[in-house]
Amino acid sequence: MRLLFLLLATTISTSAYAAAGDYNIRFGPIGLVFGAISLHGDVAVAPQWTVGPQLMYWNYKFGSGGTFTSQYEVTATALGARANWFKNGNYTDGLYVGPSLKYTSVKITTSDALGSYSATASGPVAGCLVGYGWFWESFNMMLGGGFDLALGSS
């Protein structure tokens, strides 16, 4: 249940920006609480659209359970792209929709008295955020929620 909560918490997005004309650099501060570092870039490609890369690294440990004697350790990485559609125009207060496509790899490790165990899953992931953005001259913030959906088997 805790893992599900952590995965949902990293899907909920708040972002801070450094704005400079037609591009922005964004990071997700809520994820830092759970050991996730995410960086995103935006380049304006049309009056209501931006596109850019996204990078994510997450490392988190949580309690052991059952016969396992060590904490579970989750490590995830992702690399992909995200577009943003802004209802009122790029970098203007209002509704945004952010579809994304990324390649994600997740590894979980733990151990018991007999040895250590690990499992890895990787593959393409499609996602989408919907939220509201506030944009000032030198600081911007976006708050949204959404989903990620694995597109293949691993």
Side-chain angles (χ1 to χ4, degrees):
M1 184 64 172
R2 283 188 228 167
L3 180 59
L4 177 61
F5 171 76
L6 293 173
L7 291 173
L8 289 173
T10 59
T11 301
I12 296 170
S13 172
T14 58
S15 301
Y17 281 85
D22 290 335
Y23 66 91
N24 276 332
I25 299 171
R26 181 174 66 249
F27 71 96
I30 286 180
L32 293 173
V33 173
F34 303 105
I37 298 170
S38 62
L39 294 172
H40 307 262
D42 286 321
V43 176
V45 294
Q48 291 182 294
W49 283 95
T50 63
V51 176
Q54 58 180 4
L55 303 164
M56 187 271 302
Y57 174 80
W58 181 39
N59 185 270
Y60 189 76
K61 292 180 182 180
F62 58 97
S64 61
T67 61
F68 296 109
T69 55
S70 71
Q71 290 184 323
Y72 294 96
E73 181 176 5
V74 179
T75 303
T77 56
L79 173 63
R82 177 170 144 189
N84 288 300
W85 173 80
F86 296 95
K87 181 179 186 252
N88 299 328
N90 292 341
Y91 317 129
T92 303
D93 290 2
L95 175 77
Y96 76 90
V97 178
S100 65
L101 183 61
K102 57 189 169 262
Y103 185 83
T104 302
S105 179
V106 179
K107 181 177 182 180
I108 299 175
T109 60
T110 191
S111 63
D112 65 10
L114 299 175
S116 62
Y117 306 92
S118 67
T120 303
S122 58
V125 175
C128 189
L129 288 173
V130 177
Y132 195 90
W134 295 269
F135 299 89
W136 297 277
E137 192 168 316
S138 62
F139 178 79
N140 308 284
M141 185 170 53
M142 294 172 73
L143 177 63
F147 68 90
D148 277 339
L149 178 64
L151 298 178
S153 61
S154 175

